Amino acid sequence: MARLLEGRIAIVTGAGRGIGRAHALELARHGAKVVVNDFGVSLAGEGTGESPAERVVEEIVAAGGEAVANAADVADFAEAEAMVRQAIETYGGLDILVNNAGFVRDRMLVNTSEEEWDAVIRVHLKGHFATLRHAGAYWRAESKAGRQRDARVINTSSGAGLQGSIGQGTYSAAKAGIAGLTLVAAAEMSRYGVTVNAIAPVAKTRMTEGAFDTSAMALPEDNSPVVAWLASEEARDITGRVIEIDGTTITVENGWAHGPSADAGARWDAGDVGPALRKLLGEAPVPEKVYGT
Ligand SMILES: NC(=O)c1ccc[n+]([C@@H]2O[C@H](COP(=O)([O-])OP(=O)(O)OC[C@H]3O[C@@H](n4cnc5c(N)ncnc54)[C@H](O)[C@@H]3O)[C@@H](O)[C@H]2O)c1
């Protein structure tokens, strides 16, 4: 096997279980030194007292790789900063950030509590922002000091965020936000040698087992080769993209784009809007189905 990440330094968040664990093992197999982050929470984000990151580190080391555990809450701004510092102090830098950590509290919108909304938005959206913010500041400083790194960020969106999913309004909003954040981060950070892409994975994990029929669902490790390649130096020219991975199929997700338009030449009269908008909607592609409808 060609090793794509020899000597590169990576952080994978939420890597104690599920898809993140598979990413950490795959990056290590390709020669990366990995900070394995996990806060050790339940599916709903509550404390369990477990340290799953330690077990993944043991697996990586047993296979001849290099890894160190980190137990930060990714959505805690100071803990996210300390995690980036841990990578730099332990291994001498940072090249790859895989934002993957998160949990769900699925509910129909009208049953969603304020606390559920805040917790799910926080872990996914702030959990991506906090790590990206601190890693980005490091990469900018390195670039300005004449030591630009060939850096990679791989965020984790979801089909729920891109197409929508019944019963997952909060989660869908957070994952759509991650797709938007990916576009802006890619545009802002390219000057520092950083690419920023996102995946929309699919896997049988504790997250999907309760909610869907997972009997034929892909495995966590089916997602990780795409992450390993996007993290490699070969992927230098690819940024601001969202890639869906479903087992053996990879799909480029086309995001929001300007469709048919009409210009009234002066402020629209409300009475004219209906016919004009219906004509445009007739010319526009039909949106994909929301999952669960
Ligand atoms: N499983 C799927 O089909 C699927 C589909 C689309 C997107 N995703 C996304 O993939 C990612 C991984 O999901 P999974 O299915 O492997 O779930 P999982 O529950 O198996 O793993 C998530 C891990 O993140 C950790 N975590 C949660 N909150 C954290 C925090 N604040 N700080 C650090 N670690 C934290 C958990 O302890 C857990 O080990 C998530 O972002 C999820 O939304 C999964």
Side-chain angles (χ1 to χ4, degrees):
M1 177 185 86
R3 297 210 337 154
L4 292 174
L5 305 171
E6 205 67 71
R8 282 165 72 71
I9 301 156
I11 292 173
V12 184
T13 71
R17 299 188 185 87
I19 298 171
R21 169 180 168 274
H23 294 338
L25 292 169
E26 179 79 352
L27 298 191
R29 225 179 349 258
H30 278 280
K33 300 166 188 169
V34 186
V35 176
V36 178
N37 159 266
D38 207 289
F39 195 37
V41 289
S42 71
L43 177 58
E46 282 127 9
T48 60
E50 296 171 19
S51 317
E54 306 273 2
R55 294 200 300 274
V56 175
V57 168
E58 285 164 19
E59 277 185 81
I60 290 173
V61 171
E66 276 188 71
V68 62
N70 173 280
D73 168 3
V74 288
D76 181 299
F77 201 61
E79 289 183 25
E81 182 176 27
M83 177 171 65
V84 169
R85 226 178 18 249
Q86 183 186 357
I88 297 163
E89 285 168 5
T90 309
Y91 294 126
L94 179 65
D95 305 299
I96 300 159
L97 169 65
V98 182
N99 280 317
N100 162 86
F103 55 76
V104 287
R105 294 189 187 172
D106 294 348
R107 289 254 191 275
M108 288 298 190
L109 186 55
V110 296
N111 292 329
T112 301
S113 70
E114 183 180 5
E115 194 266 333
E116 287 162 345
W117 171 272
D118 286 347
V120 171
I121 295 291
R122 178 183 180 275
V123 72
H124 291 282
L125 211 40
K126 189 174 174 194
H128 272 60
F129 160 68
T131 54
L132 196 44
R133 155 70 178 76
H134 295 300
Y138 163 71
W139 286 321
R140 181 185 58 186
E142 286 296 286
S143 174
K144 293 206 159 161
R147 298 184 299 263
Q148 185 158 299
R149 299 190 82 100
D150 206 0
R152 304 283 176 271
V153 178
I154 296 100
N155 291 330
T156 304
S157 185
S158 166
L162 305 170
Q163 281 86 31
S165 177
I166 291 274
Q168 295 196 300
T170 313
Y171 179 71
S172 298
K175 291 302 200 185
I178 288 168
L181 181 64
T182 299
L183 301 183
V184 177
E188 289 186 359
M189 292 192 197
S190 64
R191 75 193 75 163
Y192 308 128
V194 185
T195 69
V196 186
N197 294 289
I199 61 163
V202 175
K204 177 183 165 82
T205 66
R206 65 178 188 170
M207 192 178 277
T208 42
E209 269 168 340
F212 307 101
D213 174 9
T214 55
S215 49
M217 210 176 238
L219 299 175
E221 48 270 35
D222 292 332
N223 297 281
S224 306
V226 178
V227 171
W229 188 79
L230 286 172
S232 75
E233 286 162 332
E234 281 183 25
R236 185 174 295 133
D237 56 330
I238 295 172
T239 196
R241 297 302 193 130
V242 180
I243 313 293
E244 185 189 68
I245 309 158
D246 187 356
T248 53
T249 304
I250 56 178
T251 304
V252 176
E253 295 291 296
N254 287 326
W256 293 104
H258 294 294
S261 66
D263 180 356
R267 180 176 304 142
W268 284 87
D269 182 298
D272 296 335
V273 171
L277 190 52
R278 285 185 193 288
K279 179 169 178 293
L280 295 176
L281 290 171
E283 294 162 6
V286 177
E288 290 185 22
K289 261 166 69 78
V290 170
Y291 286 105
T293 57

